[in-house]
Amino acid sequence: MHKRVCRVILLSGDRQAPVAAIAEELGLDKWQAELKPQDKIERIQASKEQGAKVAMVGDGINDAPALAAADISVSLASAVEISQAAADFVLQGDKLDRMVRAMDVSCGAKRRVLENFGLDVVYNMIAVPLAVFGFVTPLVAAIAMSASSLLVILNALRLAR
């Protein structure tokens, strides 16, 4: 599998004590509590200015502006509606461990798309000149086109594993 490089920072509007307890339980050394929505947006913008791609997970009304500011925004199915509306996608259930699976699927999908583009380029570099110069009949060209489509579909289905 690919190596994930993520820096997790807990930004919360809640009080210090509960946020500190959750950060400790999760093993996070970077966290901030008692933040207003604008504070979260400023932290996101600062990370983006340093070249980071920012994924924001939020579930409350006050998270909607920060979700909109992030490169990727995620909400939970149990979150308030405005948070879900501001998010790029909504994780089903109420557990963040599904975020790891979503990241794996996302990276796998990107890999399969690039592979399929590569297959398409190779196919067209071989098949088009053969067809143009009359080395294959229309029936053979149609079968080859169908076979190439099946190959792309089978490659994409590897993602389900």
Side-chain angles (χ1 to χ4, degrees):
M1 213 17 100
H2 65 280
K3 183 179 178 183
R4 265 186 235 101
V5 179
C6 297
R7 186 176 60 154
V8 179
I9 303 171
L10 176 59
L11 302 176
S12 177
D14 294 330
R15 291 175 292 125
Q16 291 278 340
V19 175
I22 290 173
E24 184 176 340
E25 183 178 334
L26 296 174
L28 299 176
D29 56 347
K30 295 193 181 255
W31 59 273
Q32 291 183 300
E34 300 180 15
L35 296 175
K36 293 180 172 69
Q38 186 59 37
D39 299 330
K40 293 178 187 179
I41 293 170
E42 289 170 4
R43 303 305 186 285
I44 289 169
Q45 293 299 343
S47 292
K48 288 170 79 171
E49 287 170 7
Q50 294 173 1
K53 294 288 183 191
V54 178
M56 166 73 181
V57 180
D59 65 350
I61 293 171
N62 62 347
D63 290 327
L67 288 166
D71 294 307
I72 302 163
S73 55
V74 181
S75 186
L76 302 174
S78 60
V80 297
E81 201 170 307
I82 192 167
S83 173
Q84 291 178 5
D88 294 320
F89 66 97
V90 177
L91 291 175
Q92 296 304 307
D94 60 352
K95 296 190 179 195
L96 286 177
D97 61 347
R98 295 172 191 236
M99 184 70 179
V100 175
R101 175 72 177 134
M103 289 172 58
D104 288 343
V105 169
S106 171
C107 290
K110 180 180 178 182
R111 202 169 29 254
R112 292 302 168 275
V113 166
L114 293 174
E115 289 170 0
N116 286 340
F117 279 141
L119 289 170
D120 185 52
V121 167
V122 169
Y123 168 80
N124 284 312
M125 287 175 58
I126 295 169
V128 170
L130 290 175
V132 166
F133 293 114
F135 292 118
V136 294
T137 65
L139 177 62
V140 171
I143 291 170
M145 179 63 96
S146 296
S148 112
S149 295
L150 285 174
L151 184 62
V152 165
I153 290 168
L154 291 172
N155 188 44
L157 287 174
R158 290 176 38 213
L159 186 59
R161 285 189 297 159

